[in-house]
Amino acid sequence: MTQNANAPVVTLTEAAKHFGAVRALDGVDLSVAPGDCVGLVGHNGAGKSTLVNLINGSFAPSSGQVAFPGGAAGVRSVFQELSLCPNLTVAENLRISHPGLKGPGWRRPARAEICAALDAVFPGHGIAADAEVDTLSIAERQMVEIAIGFAPRGGQARLVILDEPTSALDAGIADQLLAHVKRFCAQGGAVIFISHMLGEIFEVATRIVVLKDGRIVAERPAAGFTRQGLVDAMGHVATEEAAREAESRPPPGAVVIAAEGIEARRGEIVGLSGLAGHGQAAALARLYLSQSSDWRAGRAPRAVFVAGDRPRDGVLPLWSILRNITASILPRDARRGMVDRDRERTVAEEWKRRIGIRTDDLSNPILSLSGGNQQKVLFARALASDAPVVVMDDPMRGVDVGTKQDVYAMIRAEAAAGRTFLWYSTETEEVCQCDRVFVFRNHAISAELAGDQITEERILQASFEMQEAS
Amino acid sequence: MTLLQRLSRPWIWAWLAAALAFAATLGLTSGRGAGELAYAALSFGAFAAIVGMGQMLVITLGPGNVDLSIPATMTLAATLALKVMSTDPGTALLGLGVALAVGLGTGLANFALIFLLRLPPIIATLAASLIYQSLAIWSNRGLRIKPPPGLADFATGRFLGLPNVAWVGLALALIVWVVLERSVWGRWLLAAGQNLRAARLAGMPVEAVRAAAYVTVAVFAALAGYLLASFSGGAALNMGQEYLLMSIAVVVIGGTSIAGGNSNVPGVWGAALFMFLVVSMLNSYGAGAGVRNVLTGTIIIAIVIAASTRRPGA
């Protein structure tokens, strides 16, 4: 396939990717040669996905180079978010990434190829090539996706990027995959293996690359890492400041909310942590919905919600800033069902000042604001109410550093005044501001940390599967 | 307010179109019969405006929300009300009560299908309308019962020069406008129509809002049916037929956003007048039924385009 069997499959030179001011990837040098199995680890937002997208061509680098000395053919990605078409059969899904299959009767070679690929990776898989994907379990879909990644597809797979391939697989199937990855690399293939299961990384990787804040902070042969050393290399400590602030607040009071295995006291800031997509956001939404009603809205709601996914969960796009701020306090300030518009404006003006929403006129449309300022509006909407519990679903996305500090201070002040905060964040630094932290793994709480226990290392330990891949 | 800002209000187009159709019709008669034409437009427009305002509330809930059972509800409410009154004097209020109760019942039934069975509103209301229509047929049995004379006089009468039914329609328009613009419930409805999930997460009782909208449209339809039957001397099984498309057309021509979250009360009235005036204009120019339909459809499309492209940010 390649002119030179030992030339790297892909070489990144000072590759960087910026999204506006955000440096998702900040100058990365990496080379993957045939036979390499690179284990890629790092916390959420470290830049792993951006790196993958640079290699598979989804993004062009903002600066630096991504070079394929032997051509880009044979570079495949297998994503954790299943990307199969559910209404097509297994064999038809192979066709999508295999343009060589055409003409009448293309389904027969497609069936043969996908069966061979599945047999090679997962012997005894029991998946029929004619099964429609939506009749398969999540694990089976992931297996099909992996098999398509390794299938010849009219050429040969040279580099397969596996992004959390085992999160949906049970241990036995995962072992089959790991064994196949080792075979594949021994035969001269290259793999980039991303996983939060450190045991798997140590089992298959010949080399481990640690990403943090868009940079490679460590790159060594797998034997050069210990498990603890790897966790330490991923994280960083930023808790001292938060610990000092916490001391100035009164001790928490009685339990005000207990649901979904989460318990929170009056005046307490409770964090939800763990890796993204492990059930924190869903648990928070269920918890909030259980505290409010589809049918009634009282003058004094028990809880309010601050959305992080603004377009989906928060912003009312046709409305002015003013109406967006007061959306949750309408019943409280109403007189006989009618909105008190003077009072509404007074409240909104006060919160514009307190939280610093940058606008000349609150009657401007909400969409005239930047993302960070829209987020401030959503904070104002929640804090303007008298609800004793404030539920926050990763509310700092797209918020600049200065605003973050303002909002942290406001949250601490409100907590000191007796409000309870439930705060899901993907940023460990924010979680370290909390009094108590529940760490989620696989849609269940894997650890409860309090006080001095809240350190980045402890959270990471609880987030990652630490046991050996058996 | 500048001319441009005025033109950017979506409801202005419905009123401009109505005025143009009015002028074009009168152009043929050199201005004679202006009063009669306006009076007729207000009379017939009132029924379209009443059902249109109900439909507007439901359409404001966002894509997929529409009540297709309006004609059946009108027919059933009118049939049962006239049957109860059986042309006896002094039963007008009893009949009104029956009609409104029918509206309440069909509205609740529609919402129950939508909420409990999770049916798409289009399917739920269309299927339910078959039941309502059958009930009307079954209870009517081909009889044409006249309304009580007092009620018929009211429905065809006038007050301060305007038809009584138009006064009813204007009063309802005022109420709907106040509710939408000033009340908490109106805010909830508009928020739910923009983003149901965000409205729910902001603590709004979105299911109650949806239920109220579906009940209101049915009650408005029942009231329109009651008035229409009294106006035209009795209930007929096909009396609601033209109001299926009419109710949706006046909402859309009136500038209410089909995407939800944006209502327009004045536009509904303007569009209701226009829908009557455009037909009488084409009639007076001697257009046949086929030509009339084609032109009506074309004009509706033109107005919707004009209204929606002038909307800022839409």
Side-chain angles (χ1 to χ4, degrees), chain B residues 5 19 70 78 97 147 152 216 274 294 301:
Chain B
Q5 277 170 320
I70 284 178
T216 306
F274 165 73
V294 169
I301 291 170

Side-chain angles (χ1 to χ4, degrees), chain B residues 1-10 12-13:
Chain B
M1 186 182 281
T2 66
L3 183 68
L4 199 69
Q5 277 170 320
R6 277 183 197 282
L7 288 179
S8 74
R9 302 207 153 191
I12 208 80
W13 292 92

Side-chain angles (χ1 to χ4, degrees), chain B residues 276-287:
Chain B
F276 175 83
L277 288 168
V278 75
V279 172
S280 50
M281 174 185 82
L282 293 171
N283 274 338
S284 56
Y285 279 88

Side-chain angles (χ1 to χ4, degrees), chain A residues 294 313 318 328 337 339 344, chain B residues 182 184 187 194 197 200 202:
Chain A
D294 284 340
D313 295 345
L318 301 180
S328 291
V339 176
E344 182 182 28
Chain B
R182 295 280 188 267
V184 172
R187 288 283 180 91
Q194 294 174 58
R197 184 176 163 84
R200 176 67 186 83

